[in-house]
Each structure stands twice: as C-alpha cells, then as structure tokens.
Amino acid sequence: MLWPFDYQGVTLRDSRWQKQAVAGRDFYMSLSNDDVLNGFRVAAGVNAPGKPLGGWAARDSYTVFGQWLQAMARMQRANGDRDMLEKASLWVSEWGKVWQPGQGRMGHYPYEKLAGGLLDMHHYGGHSEALALLQKITEYAAANLNRDRLPANRQPWELHSGRPLEWYTVGENLYRAYQITGQSAYKDFADVWQYHAYWDKFLETAEPATASGVHAYSHVNSFSSAALAYDVTGDPQYLKIMKNMYDFLQNKQCYATGGYGPIERIMPDDGALGESLAQRVDSFEAPCCSWAGFKLAKYLMMFTGEARYGDWIEKLLYNGIGAALPIVTGGKHFYYANYHLGAAMKTYSRNMFTCCSGTYFQNITEYQNLVYFKDNRGLYVNLYLPSEVEWKAGAATIKIAQTTDYPEAQTSSLKFTLDRPQLFDLKLRVPSWSQGMRIDINGAAQNIAAKSGMWATITRTWQTGDQVDIMIPLHFRRAPIDRQHPHRVALVRGPVVYAQEVVHKALSVIPESDEELDKLMKPLDKDPAVFLIGNEEPVEQRDAFMPYYRYPEVTNYRLYHDSEMRRMLW
C-alpha cells in the first residue's frame, strides 16, 4: 500500500504547472462572497446582496459549490493559505445559515459534490460546523433522493448518464465520510449507490462488449466509488474491476494525450474513436475527465504499488488539464479539448461556471498530491516536476528538492537535506514508454535496474548533500489513434504530445517508422523544445511542432496526422 502525502509536505516550485495552480487560486479567491452565496440566500428569502454568478450558476452555485469547497480545503492545507481557509469557512457558515431541508437544488449531483466539500472542510479545514452540516444534508438525502438507479444506456439519449442523473457517483465521498467519522450510516448510504450494472462488465475482462455509448466522465468517475468500496471492505472484486477498467481505457478509449470521451461518450471498439477525429471538435471534456483519470490512477497506484499507473497521471498533467486554458474573469473557462484532424484550436466554453469550473480547481489542487508517494520503507517519485517534499522517516527529517525542466529536457536532479543520516528506499518511476533511463548518485553512474513501467529502486543510507541525477531519454514516436486507423497518428516525445501550428492546408510528411521520425525531427536553435521535420523548409518557422500545452487560445494546430490522406492528396 502506498500513500500520497495528503496535501502536506509537498511544495510546487517554479514551472508552468505551478503558475497554473497559483493563477487558478487567485481567480477563485477573487470571487465575490456575496455573488457565490446569492442564490442560496434568494431561495431562503433573506437579504441577498451581490448578484448571480451567471452561466450554470445563474440560479445558484450548487453545481460547483461543493467542488470549490473541497479544492479550497485541500489547497489551503497544502500551502498554509489562511486567506483561502477564511474565505471557504465563511462560505460554509453563511450557506449553513440559510439551507433548510427541501430548499435548493439538492439532487444527487450537487449533494455528492457538497458532501465532499463539507467533509474536507471538516477534515482538512477544521471547520466547526461542517460535519454537522454534512450529517444534516445526508439525513435529508437518505430520506428524499430518488432511488430508481436506472443504469446508463446509449438509447434513449436521456439515459446516457443514468436516471437519476449520475446517481452512480454518490458513493465515493460517503465512504470517505465513513472512514473519517466511523459513522456506519455513511457506509450504509454509500452501499445504496454501488453500480454493479456497469462495474461488473469489467469483472472478468478488460474488453467488455457492452460498455460503450454512456457518459464518459461520470462513468470513469464512478470507479472512484468502487475504489473506496475496496478500501472499506477489502473485497478483491472491486480492485479487479478497477484494474480492468483502467486497461480498457488505455487500450481502447484514450487518445495519445491521455484524454478520452469524444461527444462525452465511451466509444465502441469499431474505429469510432479514430473516426471522431474527422467528425467532432468536442474531443475530450478536459477538466472533468482529467479529474476522474487522476483519481482512478491514484487509487490504483495506492492499492497495487505499481508504477505503471503513473503513466496516465503524467499524460493528463501535461496534455490534459495541464494544457487547458486558464479560468479567467467572469468564470470563462476551458471545457472541450479539440483534436479535429484537419485543424483545431483551443477555445473557451460558451457557458460560464459549468461543471468544468469545479473540476478545474480540484485538478490544479491535486497536482501537489500526485508528485510523491510513500510507504513504510521510503519515498516514491511519481512525477518529474519542480517541487520539494519533506517528511519524517525514523528519527530523521528529510527534505528533497527536485530541479528539472522535464518534459522539455531529459534530466531531473534530486538534492537531499537531512538532519541525520537515514536508511530508506528511493523509488523512481520508469515511464512505460522510456528506454535507457540512467541514474547517477553524487556524480557516479549507478548500475540500477530501470525497467520500463516499473520502479527503479535505490536503497542506501542517505545524508545531507547527496544528489541523484536522472536522465530519461526523450525520443519522438508515432501514436496511432486506434487499431482501425494505424496511419492516423499523433507525434509524441516522452509523455508530451506535439502539435504542429497550421499555416497552410498541406499535411506534413510523417515518416512511417519511429526511428525515421526521431531522426528527422530537428530542434530549433532558439528553443530546443520546438521541432521541425528536417526534410521540410520552414515557412517563417511557423510550421514547427511544439508541445500541445504551449498553444494559447484561438491558434490553429494539428494534433493528429493522417499519412494515408497525405498519400491520397498527392
């Protein structure tokens, strides 16, 4: 069993992703308290200063209120952010003053999100009223929520998320409430929402024949409830279905970015994923689906100790939520990532404050909880991200500072500071795509097994001044979209998908082998993380390939390329 650091002891250092988290924090802190609370107060018939937030929160902010509270509780714990804790505490107290049973939109979806937010304001924020409020809304929900629990189906359209809407995600935070409080009523209510009609499709196989056509985000998210059911009961069938679902997603559903769910659906294994690139621009519900992916991969890494689950976390960090446009004034935010085959661009959602404004906040808060894991023997480095981690092992207090420009550079360095020497394991995730990872200690090369998809383990007595240097070779490779479209490929370097800026209609000539591709991709002198195909003349260097996460709003790019189409055109 591995444990994340639970939002303590890990600090992000300067990087694109640290800046994204800080900017997100600043946006949510800028929200008017009265605007956030306006709809709740209006419904209660009391004085309601401020104005509605607008968009999906035009009536009230129930769609996202609980997610915001959860993110705020966790982020303030991670960073010691007293201003954020004060703001979140005010929201909870003021909401608690006006909520009464039967008042407000307390259906399955907002109840589940609010339960998580109140639980974390109690657990991480120490809010004196949050636990009583959680009990209050749970008593109401247990007595009043519709229990039809119709499974999702591809037909009719209204059943894509089941009926009632997304009822099958309710269990996760209730199981967590049981673990934190010991109150069996939470477990009993969580058991009501188990989703065996879908989960059991994965009990014996990672290739179920009837899993497609349903809402992608919420169905992947439902496996976090299966994860907590496993954690609470120890029943191995839950772990089995989680592992099979993960393999199903990686083998049949995911783009090279780690994203999934075009048209917000799980795709049949008949080439539909590849065809969607030519037909749709709503390729991937980036904030919500990243959140579900982060959680499923994290739980699997915790329960199994296997390094391979970190690959999806890494992909989603760099190409999923980490490539999203920032949330900005007025609640304008990113929703769909666009991978359209001919040309695509990043754009903001036409609606303000949708569900993705809730999961965006949760995602950027979770970054700090995904970099390192630990067990009783030592530290696991899951992500090569500029950061610091501090913890106690035995009698020693240990601090490690990670310095890196990965994934644009091939190296990362870990610098150790200890108040006394300490024996422990250091385990480094070897990405499944990598070959030839090298490890030096204090400048000396080490003969350490670094098998792809595994942990490279170093056991020694560490002391202040020790330094571990890691080199992970980065090469370009082709990533076909699915088996039915072997020539419809993305170009990937390490964990990062590269997109080509589109300035003309002609397609680039994409070599037919990874070896040839890697030889032909030439870095620009002024920016070695940007590449041109060496046998093409640049058009004012605008046809370059650069990391997808670098593309700003409304800039044309081509993320997938079809070499068969190229041959037909020429």
Side-chain angles (χ1 to χ4, degrees):
M1 181 79 176
L2 305 185
W3 296 277
F5 276 72
D6 203 25
Y7 313 100
Q8 282 191 314
V10 178
T11 304
L12 298 181
R13 302 173 76 186
D14 185 51
S15 70
R16 173 182 296 271
W17 298 277
Q18 183 264 351
K19 288 182 173 67
Q20 183 189 30
V22 169
R25 179 262 181 207
D26 291 346
F27 168 80
Y28 291 102
M29 284 296 293
S30 74
L31 293 176
S32 161
N33 297 331
D34 286 334
D35 291 355
V36 171
L37 296 163
N38 175 268
F40 305 143
R41 290 166 168 166
V42 168
V46 301
N47 182 44
K51 61 184 183 301
L53 288 173
W56 285 21
R59 178 178 170 185
D60 56 49
S61 57
Y62 269 121
T63 301
V64 289
F65 187 60
Q67 292 169 306
W68 290 352
L69 288 176
Q70 185 169 72
M72 293 169 87
R74 295 178 178 189
M75 184 173 274
Q76 67 79 26
R77 174 177 164 104
N79 300 319
D81 191 335
R82 302 303 301 177
D83 290 340
M84 177 165 282
L85 179 59
E86 181 180 344
K87 189 178 188 74
S89 296
L90 183 146
W91 288 5
V92 171
S93 296
E94 291 299 308
W95 171 82
K97 289 177 183 177
V98 298
W99 186 80
Q100 294 295 325
Q103 175 261 313
R105 295 186 291 168
M106 191 56 69
H108 298 72
Y109 184 99
Y111 163 72
E112 184 259 321
K113 311 306 180 195
L114 186 56
L118 292 173
L119 179 66
D120 282 5
M121 283 299 297
H122 159 72
H123 184 55
Y124 297 128
H127 195 286
S128 60
E129 305 163 70
L131 195 58
L133 289 168
L134 172 61
Q135 183 172 344
K136 186 177 179 181
I137 67 168
T138 300
E139 289 172 352
Y140 171 79
N144 293 280
L145 287 186
N146 180 304
R147 299 196 185 192
D148 287 349
R149 293 165 289 177
L150 289 177
N153 204 310
R154 62 187 305 168
Q155 296 292 340
W157 180 88
E158 306 86 66
L159 271 185
H160 66 276
S161 298
R163 187 183 300 144
L165 182 75
E166 297 186 24
W167 61 266
Y168 39 76
T169 68
V170 172
E172 179 188 9
N173 283 310
L174 287 170
Y175 283 124
R176 291 184 60 243
Y178 166 68
Q179 290 178 316
I180 290 169
T181 69
Q183 297 179 26
S184 60
Y186 290 116
K187 178 184 179 299
D188 294 341
F189 196 35
D191 289 341
V192 170
W193 310 105
Q194 292 205 13
Y195 193 23
H196 287 285
Y198 193 75
W199 295 348
D200 288 357
K201 296 176 187 290
F202 299 90
L203 188 55
E204 301 298 336
T205 180
E207 298 187 5
T210 60
S212 65
V214 297
H215 187 240
Y217 159 56
S218 62
H219 278 73
V220 177
N221 195 31
S222 80
F223 284 82
S224 289
S225 294
L228 267 296
Y230 172 72
D231 204 26
V232 166
T233 69
D235 187 337
Q237 75 167 355
Y238 294 111
L239 183 58
K240 192 174 182 180
I241 65 174
M242 289 168 61
K243 293 170 73 172
N244 282 335
M245 176 56 166
Y246 181 91
D247 291 341
F248 168 72
L249 290 167
Q250 303 310 306
N251 297 333
K252 304 293 184 181
Q253 298 295 319
C254 283
Y255 304 99
T257 60
Y260 57 95
I263 332 169
E264 299 189 24
R265 297 295 186 273
I266 298 294
M267 292 285 106
D269 183 26
D270 61 0
L273 185 64
E275 289 302 317
S276 73
L277 295 172
Q279 300 170 0
R280 307 291 304 195
V281 297
D282 49 354
S283 304
F284 169 43
E285 193 180 355
C288 285
C289 288
S290 293
W291 177 237
F294 274 167
K295 290 193 296 173
L296 177 57
K298 179 183 72 174
Y299 287 135
L300 283 166
M301 181 173 280
M302 290 169 59
F303 297 151
T304 69
E306 294 180 26
R308 70 186 184 102
Y309 297 112
D311 289 343
W312 198 22
I313 293 172
E314 185 177 57
K315 283 183 180 180
L316 290 171
L317 172 69
Y318 297 130
N319 310 299
I321 187 62
L325 297 174
I327 191 166
V328 292
T329 303
K332 187 169 71 167
H333 61 84
F334 196 61
Y335 197 111
Y336 291 122
N338 178 358
Y339 305 153
H340 190 270
L341 187 62
M345 63 175 61
K346 295 178 183 177
T347 58
Y348 281 99
S349 172
R350 65 179 181 274
N351 295 309
M352 308 297 106
F353 291 117
T354 74
C355 53
C356 286
S357 75
T359 49
Y360 183 88
F361 199 4
Q362 290 172 303
N363 277 308
I364 59 176
T365 299
E366 193 67 11
Y367 290 173
Q368 285 171 263
N369 211 37
L370 297 172
V371 184
Y372 303 100
F373 289 76
K374 59 185 175 180
D375 66 7
N376 293 329
R377 293 181 57 86
L379 180 74
Y380 294 70
V381 180
N382 180 43
L383 296 175
Y384 300 101
L385 197 68
S387 55
E388 295 179 359
V389 58
E390 184 172 333
W391 83 106
K392 289 188 72 69
T397 298
I398 306 161
K399 181 176 180 180
I400 297 178
Q402 183 173 185
T403 303
T404 183
D405 290 320
Y406 181 90
E408 296 186 2
Q410 301 182 124
T411 58
S412 185
S413 295
L414 306 175
K415 187 78 171 181
F416 289 66
T417 303
L418 298 87
D419 61 357
R420 65 189 69 190
Q422 180 66 40
L423 173 69
F424 64 90
D425 293 342
L426 176 68
K427 293 180 177 277
L428 309 171
R429 184 177 59 85
V430 185
S432 295
W433 47 262
S434 69
Q435 297 290 331
M437 178 170 163
R438 193 183 74 224
I439 301 165
D440 296 350
I441 300 178
N442 299 331
Q446 305 293 306
N447 185 20
I448 296 169
K451 185 177 179 181
S452 299
M454 306 293 284
W455 300 105
T457 301
I458 309 167
T459 303
R460 63 182 271 142
T461 298
W462 301 92
Q463 52 192 328
T464 289
D466 282 343
Q467 180 167 317
V468 175
D469 294 310
I470 306 147
M471 197 277 285
I472 308 174
L474 299 176
H475 299 291
F476 276 96
R477 64 190 185 278
R478 298 154 45 96
I481 180 64
D482 55 27
R483 60 186 173 85
Q484 293 87 358
H485 299 86
H487 298 285
R488 192 163 286 183
V489 300
L491 305 190
V492 185
R493 181 176 183 254
V496 176
V497 176
Y498 270 62
Q500 183 184 31
E501 186 176 359
V502 176
V503 295
H504 52 69
K505 294 183 179 179
L507 294 170
S508 296
V509 178
I510 304 300
E512 292 296 314
S513 74
D514 291 351
E515 294 77 11
E516 185 182 2
L517 172 66
D518 194 53
K519 289 179 181 177
L520 286 175
M521 295 296 276
K522 305 299 183 185
L524 297 184
D525 291 338
K526 67 179 182 180
D527 190 340
V530 178
F531 290 77
L532 288 165
I533 291 184
N535 60 356
E536 292 189 351
E537 290 296 324
V539 181
E540 298 178 5
Q541 294 193 337
R542 290 179 299 168
D543 280 338
F545 292 79
M546 67 180 180
Y548 168 64
Y549 55 69
R550 286 198 183 188
Y551 281 84
E553 182 186 10
V554 196
T555 298
N556 283 319
Y557 57 81
R558 184 179 295 114
L559 193 134
Y560 272 90
H561 309 261
D562 198 321
S563 55
E564 280 193 328
M565 184 182 296
R566 171 73 181 190
R567 285 196 294 271
M568 288 187 290
L569 289 172
W570 291 88

